[in-house]
């Protein structure tokens, strides 16, 4: 996709681009936020049992566990 310098376009070109963008956006299917939030919540809760960020990582499987303490001499 070529790069377009907006400063070099005429007002007609800018208006044409805007109309094209608005035509594209009007075709998008809309959904109520409340419905989307319910679906996202269900999706997150369905995978929470396997999610290490929610469940945590067992100490024996944690690759970031400290191997030893810091010794200051």
């Amino acid at each position: 996709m070529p790069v377009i310098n907006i400063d070099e376009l005429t007002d007609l070109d800018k208006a044409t681009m805007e109309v094209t963008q608005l035509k594209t956006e009007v075709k998008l299917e809309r959904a109520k936020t409340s419905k989307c939030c319910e679906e996202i919540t269900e999706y997150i809760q369905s995978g929470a049992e396997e999610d290490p960020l929610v469940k945590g990582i067992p100490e024996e499987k944690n690759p970031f566990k400290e191997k030893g303490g810091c010794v200051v001499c």
Side-chain angles (χ1 to χ4, degrees):
M1 182 173 251
V3 177
I4 298 172
N5 187 352
I6 199 78
D7 295 329
E8 295 176 2
L9 296 176
T10 65
D11 288 340
L12 179 61
D13 291 335
K14 291 176 187 177
T16 304
M17 288 178 64
E18 186 173 359
V19 168
T20 304
Q21 179 63 33
L22 291 172
K23 284 181 180 179
T24 303
E25 290 178 15
V26 80
K27 293 176 187 174
L28 293 175
E29 183 180 336
R30 306 286 182 187
K32 291 189 175 188
T33 304
S34 57
K35 176 73 172 151
C36 293
C37 289
E38 289 174 8
E39 292 174 359
I40 291 172
T41 303
E42 290 172 10
Y43 174 77
I44 291 170
Q45 289 175 346
S46 69
E49 296 167 2
E50 299 91 30
D51 191 341
L53 296 175
V54 175
K55 183 179 168 185
I57 301 173
E59 285 294 321
E60 61 273 0
K61 293 183 179 181
N62 186 353
F64 302 106
K65 181 174 90 172
E66 290 188 29
K67 305 291 189 245
C70 178
V71 178
V72 178
C73 296

Short mmCIF file of all heavy atoms in Angstrom, two decimals:
data_model
loop_
_atom_site.label_atom_id
_atom_site.label_comp_id
_atom_site.label_asym_id
_atom_site.label_seq_id
_atom_site.Cartn_x
_atom_site.Cartn_y
_atom_site.Cartn_z
N MET A 1 0.85 -1.18 0.00
CA MET A 1 0.00 0.00 0.00
C MET A 1 0.90 1.24 0.00
O MET A 1 1.77 1.39 0.84
CB MET A 1 -0.90 -0.04 1.24
CG MET A 1 -1.85 1.11 1.34
SD MET A 1 -3.01 0.91 2.70
CE MET A 1 -4.47 0.59 1.78
N PRO A 2 0.69 2.11 -0.96
CA PRO A 2 1.55 3.30 -1.05
C PRO A 2 1.28 4.29 0.08
O PRO A 2 0.17 4.38 0.60
CB PRO A 2 1.17 3.90 -2.40
CG PRO A 2 -0.20 3.40 -2.67
CD PRO A 2 -0.29 2.06 -2.02
N VAL A 3 2.31 5.02 0.43
CA VAL A 3 2.19 6.05 1.45
C VAL A 3 1.62 7.31 0.81
O VAL A 3 2.07 7.72 -0.26
CB VAL A 3 3.57 6.35 2.08
CG1 VAL A 3 3.45 7.47 3.10
CG2 VAL A 3 4.13 5.10 2.72
N ILE A 4 0.62 7.90 1.45
CA ILE A 4 -0.02 9.10 0.90
C ILE A 4 0.31 10.28 1.78
O ILE A 4 0.10 10.24 3.00
CB ILE A 4 -1.55 8.91 0.83
CG1 ILE A 4 -1.90 7.75 -0.09
CG2 ILE A 4 -2.22 10.18 0.36
CD1 ILE A 4 -3.37 7.37 -0.06
N ASN A 5 0.86 11.32 1.18
CA ASN A 5 1.14 12.55 1.90
C ASN A 5 -0.14 13.40 1.84
O ASN A 5 -0.50 13.93 0.80
CB ASN A 5 2.32 13.30 1.29
CG ASN A 5 2.73 14.49 2.13
OD1 ASN A 5 2.05 14.85 3.09
ND2 ASN A 5 3.84 15.09 1.77
N ILE A 6 -0.81 13.51 2.96
CA ILE A 6 -2.11 14.19 3.02
C ILE A 6 -2.01 15.66 2.65
O ILE A 6 -2.98 16.25 2.16
CB ILE A 6 -2.76 13.99 4.41
CG1 ILE A 6 -4.27 14.27 4.37
CG2 ILE A 6 -2.11 14.84 5.46
CD1 ILE A 6 -5.06 13.18 3.80
N ASP A 7 -0.86 16.25 2.88
CA ASP A 7 -0.68 17.67 2.57
C ASP A 7 -0.69 17.94 1.06
O ASP A 7 -0.99 19.05 0.63
CB ASP A 7 0.63 18.19 3.16
CG ASP A 7 0.62 18.15 4.68
OD1 ASP A 7 -0.47 18.29 5.27
OD2 ASP A 7 1.70 17.95 5.27
N GLU A 8 -0.35 16.93 0.27
CA GLU A 8 -0.29 17.09 -1.18
C GLU A 8 -1.63 16.84 -1.87
O GLU A 8 -1.75 17.05 -3.07
CB GLU A 8 0.78 16.16 -1.75
CG GLU A 8 2.18 16.50 -1.28
CD GLU A 8 3.21 15.51 -1.78
OE1 GLU A 8 2.85 14.56 -2.51
OE2 GLU A 8 4.39 15.67 -1.43
N LEU A 9 -2.63 16.38 -1.13
CA LEU A 9 -3.93 16.08 -1.73
C LEU A 9 -4.80 17.32 -1.85
O LEU A 9 -4.72 18.23 -1.03
CB LEU A 9 -4.67 15.04 -0.89
CG LEU A 9 -4.03 13.66 -0.79
CD1 LEU A 9 -4.84 12.78 0.15
CD2 LEU A 9 -3.91 13.01 -2.15
N THR A 10 -5.63 17.33 -2.85
CA THR A 10 -6.60 18.42 -3.00
C THR A 10 -7.76 18.18 -2.05
O THR A 10 -7.91 17.08 -1.50
CB THR A 10 -7.13 18.48 -4.44
OG1 THR A 10 -7.88 17.29 -4.71
CG2 THR A 10 -6.01 18.64 -5.45
N ASP A 11 -8.58 19.20 -1.87
CA ASP A 11 -9.75 19.05 -1.00
C ASP A 11 -10.69 17.99 -1.54
O ASP A 11 -11.31 17.25 -0.77
CB ASP A 11 -10.48 20.39 -0.86
CG ASP A 11 -9.72 21.39 0.00
OD1 ASP A 11 -8.84 20.95 0.77
OD2 ASP A 11 -10.00 22.60 -0.10
N LEU A 12 -10.80 17.89 -2.84
CA LEU A 12 -11.66 16.88 -3.45
C LEU A 12 -11.14 15.47 -3.15
O LEU A 12 -11.91 14.57 -2.81
CB LEU A 12 -11.76 17.10 -4.97
CG LEU A 12 -12.62 16.09 -5.72
CD1 LEU A 12 -14.07 16.14 -5.23
CD2 LEU A 12 -12.56 16.34 -7.21
N ASP A 13 -9.83 15.29 -3.25
CA ASP A 13 -9.22 13.99 -2.94
C ASP A 13 -9.47 13.62 -1.48
O ASP A 13 -9.78 12.47 -1.17
CB ASP A 13 -7.72 14.01 -3.23
CG ASP A 13 -7.41 14.09 -4.71
OD1 ASP A 13 -8.26 13.67 -5.52
OD2 ASP A 13 -6.31 14.59 -5.05
N LYS A 14 -9.30 14.58 -0.58
CA LYS A 14 -9.52 14.33 0.84
C LYS A 14 -10.97 13.95 1.10
O LYS A 14 -11.25 13.02 1.87
CB LYS A 14 -9.15 15.56 1.66
CG LYS A 14 -7.67 15.87 1.69
CD LYS A 14 -7.39 17.16 2.45
CE LYS A 14 -5.94 17.57 2.33
NZ LYS A 14 -5.67 18.85 3.01
N ALA A 15 -11.90 14.67 0.46
CA ALA A 15 -13.32 14.38 0.65
C ALA A 15 -13.66 13.00 0.09
O ALA A 15 -14.43 12.24 0.71
CB ALA A 15 -14.16 15.45 -0.02
N THR A 16 -13.08 12.64 -1.04
CA THR A 16 -13.31 11.32 -1.62
C THR A 16 -12.81 10.21 -0.70
O THR A 16 -13.48 9.20 -0.50
CB THR A 16 -12.60 11.20 -3.00
OG1 THR A 16 -13.06 12.27 -3.83
CG2 THR A 16 -12.87 9.88 -3.66
N MET A 17 -11.63 10.40 -0.13
CA MET A 17 -11.08 9.42 0.81
C MET A 17 -11.98 9.29 2.04
O MET A 17 -12.21 8.19 2.53
CB MET A 17 -9.66 9.81 1.22
CG MET A 17 -8.63 9.62 0.14
SD MET A 17 -6.98 10.16 0.65
CE MET A 17 -6.63 9.03 1.97
N GLU A 18 -12.47 10.40 2.54
CA GLU A 18 -13.32 10.37 3.71
C GLU A 18 -14.64 9.65 3.42
O GLU A 18 -15.10 8.84 4.22
CB GLU A 18 -13.60 11.80 4.20
CG GLU A 18 -14.37 11.82 5.50
CD GLU A 18 -14.51 13.22 6.08
OE1 GLU A 18 -14.00 14.18 5.48
OE2 GLU A 18 -15.13 13.32 7.14
N VAL A 19 -15.23 9.91 2.27
CA VAL A 19 -16.48 9.24 1.89
C VAL A 19 -16.25 7.74 1.74
O VAL A 19 -17.06 6.92 2.20
CB VAL A 19 -17.04 9.84 0.58
CG1 VAL A 19 -18.16 8.99 0.02
CG2 VAL A 19 -17.53 11.26 0.83
N THR A 20 -15.14 7.35 1.14
CA THR A 20 -14.81 5.93 1.00
C THR A 20 -14.68 5.27 2.36
O THR A 20 -15.20 4.17 2.58
CB THR A 20 -13.50 5.77 0.20
OG1 THR A 20 -13.64 6.43 -1.06
CG2 THR A 20 -13.16 4.32 -0.01
N GLN A 21 -14.00 5.95 3.28
CA GLN A 21 -13.84 5.40 4.63
C GLN A 21 -15.18 5.27 5.33
O GLN A 21 -15.46 4.26 5.98
CB GLN A 21 -12.89 6.28 5.45
CG GLN A 21 -12.66 5.81 6.87
CD GLN A 21 -12.00 4.45 6.94
OE1 GLN A 21 -11.19 4.09 6.09
NE2 GLN A 21 -12.34 3.68 7.96
N LEU A 22 -16.04 6.28 5.21
CA LEU A 22 -17.35 6.23 5.85
C LEU A 22 -18.22 5.13 5.27
O LEU A 22 -18.96 4.46 6.00
CB LEU A 22 -18.04 7.59 5.74
CG LEU A 22 -17.41 8.71 6.56
CD1 LEU A 22 -18.06 10.05 6.22
CD2 LEU A 22 -17.53 8.44 8.05
N LYS A 23 -18.13 4.90 3.96
CA LYS A 23 -18.89 3.80 3.34
C LYS A 23 -18.42 2.45 3.88
O LYS A 23 -19.23 1.55 4.08
CB LYS A 23 -18.71 3.84 1.81
CG LYS A 23 -19.51 4.92 1.14
CD LYS A 23 -19.31 4.89 -0.38
CE LYS A 23 -20.10 5.97 -1.08
NZ LYS A 23 -19.89 5.96 -2.55
N THR A 24 -17.12 2.33 4.11
CA THR A 24 -16.58 1.09 4.67
C THR A 24 -17.08 0.90 6.10
O THR A 24 -17.50 -0.20 6.49
CB THR A 24 -15.04 1.12 4.66
OG1 THR A 24 -14.59 1.33 3.32
CG2 THR A 24 -14.45 -0.16 5.21
N GLU A 25 -17.07 1.96 6.88
CA GLU A 25 -17.47 1.86 8.28
C GLU A 25 -18.95 1.59 8.45
O GLU A 25 -19.36 0.90 9.39
CB GLU A 25 -17.09 3.15 9.02
CG GLU A 25 -15.60 3.31 9.21
CD GLU A 25 -15.23 4.62 9.89
OE1 GLU A 25 -16.12 5.27 10.47
OE2 GLU A 25 -14.05 4.98 9.84
N VAL A 26 -19.78 2.10 7.54
CA VAL A 26 -21.22 1.91 7.68
C VAL A 26 -21.60 0.44 7.44
O VAL A 26 -22.63 -0.01 7.94
CB VAL A 26 -21.99 2.86 6.75
CG1 VAL A 26 -22.03 2.36 5.33
CG2 VAL A 26 -23.39 3.10 7.26
N LYS A 27 -20.76 -0.31 6.74
CA LYS A 27 -21.04 -1.72 6.48
C LYS A 27 -20.70 -2.62 7.66
O LYS A 27 -21.09 -3.78 7.67
CB LYS A 27 -20.24 -2.18 5.26
CG LYS A 27 -20.68 -1.53 3.97
CD LYS A 27 -19.80 -1.97 2.83
CE LYS A 27 -20.13 -1.20 1.56
NZ LYS A 27 -19.18 -1.52 0.47
N LEU A 28 -19.96 -2.10 8.64
CA LEU A 28 -19.57 -2.91 9.79
C LEU A 28 -20.78 -3.28 10.64
O LEU A 28 -21.68 -2.47 10.86
CB LEU A 28 -18.57 -2.15 10.66
CG LEU A 28 -17.20 -1.88 10.06
CD1 LEU A 28 -16.38 -1.01 11.00
CD2 LEU A 28 -16.48 -3.17 9.76
N GLU A 29 -20.76 -4.53 11.10
CA GLU A 29 -21.85 -4.99 11.96
C GLU A 29 -21.62 -4.44 13.37
O GLU A 29 -20.53 -4.55 13.93
CB GLU A 29 -21.86 -6.52 12.01
CG GLU A 29 -22.98 -7.09 12.83
CD GLU A 29 -22.97 -8.60 12.84
OE1 GLU A 29 -22.41 -9.20 11.90
OE2 GLU A 29 -23.49 -9.17 13.80
N ARG A 30 -22.65 -3.84 13.92
CA ARG A 30 -22.56 -3.26 15.26
C ARG A 30 -23.11 -4.24 16.29
O ARG A 30 -24.02 -5.02 16.01
CB ARG A 30 -23.37 -1.96 15.33
CG ARG A 30 -23.02 -0.95 14.28
CD ARG A 30 -21.72 -0.29 14.58
NE ARG A 30 -21.43 0.73 13.56
CZ ARG A 30 -20.31 1.36 13.49
NH1 ARG A 30 -19.37 1.14 14.36
NH2 ARG A 30 -20.12 2.25 12.54
N ALA A 31 -22.58 -4.19 17.49
CA ALA A 31 -23.06 -5.02 18.59
C ALA A 31 -23.11 -4.16 19.84
O ALA A 31 -22.29 -3.27 20.03
CB ALA A 31 -22.14 -6.22 18.80
N LYS A 32 -24.09 -4.45 20.67
CA LYS A 32 -24.22 -3.69 21.92
C LYS A 32 -23.06 -4.03 22.84
O LYS A 32 -22.61 -5.18 22.93
CB LYS A 32 -25.54 -4.01 22.60
CG LYS A 32 -26.73 -3.47 21.84
CD LYS A 32 -27.99 -3.61 22.66
CE LYS A 32 -29.14 -2.95 21.92
NZ LYS A 32 -30.34 -2.88 22.73
N THR A 33 -22.59 -3.03 23.54
CA THR A 33 -21.47 -3.21 24.46
C THR A 33 -21.81 -4.21 25.55
O THR A 33 -20.98 -5.04 25.92
CB THR A 33 -21.08 -1.86 25.09
OG1 THR A 33 -20.79 -0.93 24.04
CG2 THR A 33 -19.86 -2.00 25.98
N SER A 34 -23.03 -4.16 26.06
CA SER A 34 -23.41 -5.08 27.13
C SER A 34 -23.32 -6.53 26.66
O SER A 34 -22.88 -7.41 27.41
CB SER A 34 -24.83 -4.76 27.61
OG SER A 34 -25.75 -4.83 26.54
N LYS A 35 -23.70 -6.80 25.42
CA LYS A 35 -23.62 -8.16 24.88
C LYS A 35 -22.16 -8.58 24.70
O LYS A 35 -21.79 -9.71 25.04
CB LYS A 35 -24.36 -8.20 23.53
CG LYS A 35 -24.28 -9.51 22.82
CD LYS A 35 -25.13 -10.55 23.48
CE LYS A 35 -25.15 -11.80 22.60
NZ LYS A 35 -25.34 -13.00 23.33
N CYS A 36 -21.34 -7.68 24.19
CA CYS A 36 -19.92 -7.99 23.99
C CYS A 36 -19.23 -8.26 25.33
O CYS A 36 -18.41 -9.18 25.44
CB CYS A 36 -19.22 -6.85 23.27
SG CYS A 36 -19.77 -6.64 21.57
N CYS A 37 -19.54 -7.46 26.33
CA CYS A 37 -18.92 -7.64 27.64
C CYS A 37 -19.28 -8.99 28.24
O CYS A 37 -18.44 -9.66 28.84
CB CYS A 37 -19.34 -6.52 28.59
SG CYS A 37 -18.61 -4.93 28.17
N GLU A 38 -20.53 -9.42 28.07
CA GLU A 38 -20.94 -10.73 28.57
C GLU A 38 -20.15 -11.84 27.88
O GLU A 38 -19.67 -12.77 28.54
CB GLU A 38 -22.43 -10.94 28.34
CG GLU A 38 -23.33 -10.10 29.21
CD GLU A 38 -24.80 -10.24 28.83
OE1 GLU A 38 -25.13 -11.11 27.98
OE2 GLU A 38 -25.61 -9.49 29.38
N GLU A 39 -20.01 -11.74 26.57
CA GLU A 39 -19.28 -12.76 25.82
C GLU A 39 -17.81 -12.81 26.21
O GLU A 39 -17.22 -13.88 26.35
CB GLU A 39 -19.43 -12.51 24.32
CG GLU A 39 -20.83 -12.74 23.81
CD GLU A 39 -21.00 -12.35 22.35
OE1 GLU A 39 -20.02 -11.87 21.73
OE2 GLU A 39 -22.12 -12.51 21.84
N ILE A 40 -17.20 -11.65 26.39
CA ILE A 40 -15.79 -11.60 26.79
C ILE A 40 -15.61 -12.19 28.18
O ILE A 40 -14.67 -12.95 28.43
CB ILE A 40 -15.26 -10.15 26.71
CG1 ILE A 40 -15.17 -9.70 25.26
CG2 ILE A 40 -13.89 -10.03 27.39
CD1 ILE A 40 -14.84 -8.24 25.07
N THR A 41 -16.52 -11.86 29.10
CA THR A 41 -16.45 -12.39 30.46
C THR A 41 -16.56 -13.91 30.46
O THR A 41 -15.80 -14.61 31.14
CB THR A 41 -17.56 -11.77 31.35
OG1 THR A 41 -17.42 -10.35 31.32
CG2 THR A 41 -17.46 -12.27 32.76
N GLU A 42 -17.50 -14.44 29.69
CA GLU A 42 -17.66 -15.90 29.59
C GLU A 42 -16.40 -16.55 29.01
O GLU A 42 -15.96 -17.59 29.50
CB GLU A 42 -18.87 -16.24 28.72
CG GLU A 42 -20.19 -15.91 29.36
CD GLU A 42 -21.36 -16.09 28.40
OE1 GLU A 42 -21.17 -16.66 27.30
OE2 GLU A 42 -22.47 -15.67 28.77
N TYR A 43 -15.83 -15.94 27.99
CA TYR A 43 -14.62 -16.48 27.37
C TYR A 43 -13.46 -16.52 28.38
O TYR A 43 -12.75 -17.51 28.49
CB TYR A 43 -14.24 -15.65 26.14
CG TYR A 43 -12.92 -16.05 25.53
CD1 TYR A 43 -12.82 -17.19 24.75
CD2 TYR A 43 -11.77 -15.30 25.75
CE1 TYR A 43 -11.62 -17.57 24.18
CE2 TYR A 43 -10.56 -15.67 25.20
CZ TYR A 43 -10.49 -16.80 24.41
OH TYR A 43 -9.28 -17.18 23.87
N ILE A 44 -13.29 -15.44 29.11
CA ILE A 44 -12.19 -15.37 30.09
C ILE A 44 -12.40 -16.39 31.19
O ILE A 44 -11.47 -17.10 31.59
CB ILE A 44 -12.07 -13.94 30.65
CG1 ILE A 44 -11.57 -13.00 29.56
CG2 ILE A 44 -11.14 -13.91 31.87
CD1 ILE A 44 -11.63 -11.53 29.93
N GLN A 45 -13.61 -16.49 31.69
CA GLN A 45 -13.89 -17.43 32.78
C GLN A 45 -13.77 -18.87 32.33
O GLN A 45 -13.37 -19.73 33.12
CB GLN A 45 -15.28 -17.16 33.36
CG GLN A 45 -15.33 -15.87 34.15
CD GLN A 45 -16.72 -15.52 34.65
OE1 GLN A 45 -17.71 -16.10 34.22
NE2 GLN A 45 -16.79 -14.57 35.57
N SER A 46 -14.07 -19.16 31.06
CA SER A 46 -13.95 -20.53 30.58
C SER A 46 -12.50 -21.00 30.51
O SER A 46 -12.22 -22.19 30.64
CB SER A 46 -14.61 -20.67 29.20
OG SER A 46 -13.86 -19.99 28.23
N GLY A 47 -11.57 -20.10 30.32
CA GLY A 47 -10.16 -20.47 30.24
C GLY A 47 -9.36 -20.16 31.48
O GLY A 47 -8.14 -20.35 31.51
N ALA A 48 -10.02 -19.71 32.55
CA ALA A 48 -9.32 -19.28 33.76
C ALA A 48 -8.60 -20.44 34.45
O ALA A 48 -7.56 -20.24 35.08
CB ALA A 48 -10.28 -18.61 34.73
N GLU A 49 -9.12 -21.66 34.30
CA GLU A 49 -8.50 -22.81 34.99
C GLU A 49 -7.12 -23.12 34.45
O GLU A 49 -6.25 -23.59 35.18
CB GLU A 49 -9.41 -24.02 34.85
CG GLU A 49 -10.75 -23.83 35.54
CD GLU A 49 -11.76 -24.89 35.14
OE1 GLU A 49 -11.41 -25.78 34.34
OE2 GLU A 49 -12.90 -24.79 35.60
N GLU A 50 -6.89 -22.88 33.16
CA GLU A 50 -5.58 -23.16 32.56
C GLU A 50 -4.69 -21.93 32.47
O GLU A 50 -3.55 -22.02 32.03
CB GLU A 50 -5.76 -23.73 31.14
CG GLU A 50 -6.52 -25.04 31.09
CD GLU A 50 -8.01 -24.85 30.91
OE1 GLU A 50 -8.40 -23.84 30.29
OE2 GLU A 50 -8.78 -25.68 31.40
N ASP A 51 -5.19 -20.78 32.85
CA ASP A 51 -4.44 -19.53 32.69
C ASP A 51 -3.44 -19.35 33.83
O ASP A 51 -3.82 -19.19 34.98
CB ASP A 51 -5.42 -18.35 32.67
CG ASP A 51 -4.77 -17.05 32.24
OD1 ASP A 51 -3.52 -16.95 32.31
OD2 ASP A 51 -5.49 -16.13 31.83
N PRO A 52 -2.15 -19.34 33.51
CA PRO A 52 -1.15 -19.20 34.58
C PRO A 52 -1.16 -17.81 35.23
O PRO A 52 -0.71 -17.66 36.36
CB PRO A 52 0.18 -19.46 33.88
CG PRO A 52 -0.08 -19.21 32.44
CD PRO A 52 -1.53 -19.52 32.21
N LEU A 53 -1.69 -16.81 34.54
CA LEU A 53 -1.76 -15.48 35.15
C LEU A 53 -2.85 -15.42 36.22
O LEU A 53 -2.75 -14.63 37.16
CB LEU A 53 -2.02 -14.41 34.08
CG LEU A 53 -0.92 -14.25 33.04
CD1 LEU A 53 -1.34 -13.25 31.98
CD2 LEU A 53 0.38 -13.82 33.69
N VAL A 54 -3.87 -16.24 36.09
CA VAL A 54 -4.95 -16.28 37.07
C VAL A 54 -4.64 -17.31 38.14
O VAL A 54 -4.75 -17.04 39.34
CB VAL A 54 -6.30 -16.61 36.39
CG1 VAL A 54 -7.40 -16.78 37.42
CG2 VAL A 54 -6.67 -15.54 35.38
N LYS A 55 -4.26 -18.49 37.71
CA LYS A 55 -4.04 -19.62 38.62
C LYS A 55 -2.68 -19.56 39.31
O LYS A 55 -2.54 -19.98 40.45
CB LYS A 55 -4.15 -20.90 37.80
CG LYS A 55 -4.03 -22.17 38.57
CD LYS A 55 -4.19 -23.35 37.62
CE LYS A 55 -3.79 -24.63 38.28
NZ LYS A 55 -3.83 -25.74 37.34
N GLY A 56 -1.70 -19.05 38.63
CA GLY A 56 -0.34 -19.04 39.17
C GLY A 56 0.44 -20.22 38.63
O GLY A 56 -0.11 -21.17 38.10
N ILE A 57 1.75 -20.16 38.78
CA ILE A 57 2.63 -21.22 38.30
C ILE A 57 3.15 -21.98 39.51
O ILE A 57 3.65 -21.36 40.46
CB ILE A 57 3.82 -20.63 37.50
CG1 ILE A 57 3.29 -19.82 36.32
CG2 ILE A 57 4.77 -21.72 37.04
CD1 ILE A 57 4.36 -19.06 35.57
N PRO A 58 3.07 -23.31 39.50
CA PRO A 58 3.62 -24.09 40.62
C PRO A 58 5.12 -23.81 40.76
O PRO A 58 5.83 -23.63 39.77
CB PRO A 58 3.37 -25.54 40.22
CG PRO A 58 2.37 -25.50 39.12
CD PRO A 58 2.46 -24.17 38.48
N GLU A 59 5.60 -23.76 41.98
CA GLU A 59 7.01 -23.44 42.24
C GLU A 59 7.96 -24.37 41.51
O GLU A 59 8.99 -23.94 41.00
CB GLU A 59 7.30 -23.47 43.75
CG GLU A 59 6.76 -22.28 44.51
CD GLU A 59 7.45 -20.98 44.11
OE1 GLU A 59 8.67 -20.98 43.89
OE2 GLU A 59 6.74 -19.97 44.01
N GLU A 60 7.64 -25.67 41.43
CA GLU A 60 8.56 -26.62 40.79
C GLU A 60 8.61 -26.44 39.27
O GLU A 60 9.56 -26.86 38.63
CB GLU A 60 8.18 -28.07 41.14
CG GLU A 60 6.81 -28.51 40.70
CD GLU A 60 5.70 -28.21 41.70
OE1 GLU A 60 5.96 -27.66 42.77
OE2 GLU A 60 4.56 -28.53 41.36
N LYS A 61 7.61 -25.79 38.67
CA LYS A 61 7.59 -25.59 37.22
C LYS A 61 7.92 -24.15 36.83
O LYS A 61 7.94 -23.83 35.65
CB LYS A 61 6.22 -25.95 36.66
CG LYS A 61 5.90 -27.42 36.76
CD LYS A 61 4.57 -27.72 36.11
CE LYS A 61 4.26 -29.19 36.18
NZ LYS A 61 2.98 -29.51 35.54
N ASN A 62 8.17 -23.28 37.78
CA ASN A 62 8.41 -21.87 37.51
C ASN A 62 9.86 -21.67 37.03
O ASN A 62 10.81 -21.82 37.81
CB ASN A 62 8.16 -21.04 38.77
CG ASN A 62 8.26 -19.56 38.52
OD1 ASN A 62 8.63 -19.13 37.43
ND2 ASN A 62 7.92 -18.78 39.51
N PRO A 63 10.05 -21.32 35.76
CA PRO A 63 11.42 -21.14 35.26
C PRO A 63 12.07 -19.85 35.78
O PRO A 63 13.28 -19.68 35.66
CB PRO A 63 11.23 -21.07 33.73
CG PRO A 63 9.84 -20.58 33.55
CD PRO A 63 9.05 -21.11 34.72
N PHE A 64 11.30 -18.97 36.37
CA PHE A 64 11.83 -17.71 36.86
C PHE A 64 12.09 -17.71 38.37
O PHE A 64 12.42 -16.69 38.94
CB PHE A 64 10.88 -16.56 36.48
CG PHE A 64 10.64 -16.47 35.00
CD1 PHE A 64 9.45 -16.88 34.46
CD2 PHE A 64 11.63 -16.00 34.15
CE1 PHE A 64 9.22 -16.82 33.09
CE2 PHE A 64 11.41 -15.93 32.78
CZ PHE A 64 10.21 -16.35 32.26
N LYS A 65 11.91 -18.86 39.00
CA LYS A 65 12.14 -18.97 40.43
C LYS A 65 13.62 -18.72 40.73
O LYS A 65 14.50 -19.18 39.99
CB LYS A 65 11.74 -20.37 40.90
CG LYS A 65 11.92 -20.61 42.39
CD LYS A 65 11.36 -21.95 42.78
CE LYS A 65 12.44 -22.99 42.66
NZ LYS A 65 12.06 -24.30 43.20
N GLU A 66 13.87 -17.99 41.80
CA GLU A 66 15.25 -17.71 42.17
C GLU A 66 15.96 -18.99 42.55
O GLU A 66 15.43 -19.82 43.30
CB GLU A 66 15.30 -16.72 43.33
CG GLU A 66 14.86 -15.32 42.94
CD GLU A 66 15.09 -14.31 44.06
OE1 GLU A 66 16.02 -14.51 44.87
OE2 GLU A 66 14.34 -13.34 44.10
N LYS A 67 17.14 -19.18 41.99
CA LYS A 67 17.90 -20.41 42.22
C LYS A 67 18.56 -20.42 43.61
O LYS A 67 18.74 -21.43 44.23
CB LYS A 67 18.97 -20.61 41.15
CG LYS A 67 18.44 -20.58 39.74
CD LYS A 67 17.59 -21.78 39.44
CE LYS A 67 17.24 -21.85 37.97
NZ LYS A 67 15.88 -21.70 37.64
N GLY A 68 18.91 -19.27 44.08
CA GLY A 68 19.55 -19.17 45.38
C GLY A 68 19.47 -17.74 45.87
O GLY A 68 19.11 -16.83 45.14
N GLY A 69 19.77 -17.56 47.12
CA GLY A 69 19.71 -16.21 47.68
C GLY A 69 20.93 -15.40 47.30
O GLY A 69 21.93 -15.89 46.82
N CYS A 70 20.84 -14.13 47.54
CA CYS A 70 21.93 -13.21 47.25
C CYS A 70 22.84 -13.17 48.47
O CYS A 70 22.39 -12.96 49.59
CB CYS A 70 21.37 -11.82 46.94
SG CYS A 70 22.65 -10.61 46.62
N VAL A 71 24.12 -13.35 48.25
CA VAL A 71 25.09 -13.35 49.35
C VAL A 71 25.95 -12.11 49.22
O VAL A 71 26.56 -11.85 48.19
CB VAL A 71 25.97 -14.62 49.32
CG1 VAL A 71 26.99 -14.58 50.45
CG2 VAL A 71 25.12 -15.86 49.39
N VAL A 72 25.97 -11.29 50.27
CA VAL A 72 26.79 -10.10 50.28
C VAL A 72 27.99 -10.36 51.19
O VAL A 72 27.84 -10.72 52.33
CB VAL A 72 26.00 -8.88 50.79
CG1 VAL A 72 26.89 -7.66 50.83
CG2 VAL A 72 24.78 -8.65 49.93
N CYS A 73 29.17 -10.22 50.63
CA CYS A 73 30.38 -10.50 51.42
C CYS A 73 30.94 -9.21 52.00
O CYS A 73 30.90 -8.18 51.47
CB CYS A 73 31.45 -11.17 50.57
SG CYS A 73 30.93 -12.77 49.98
#
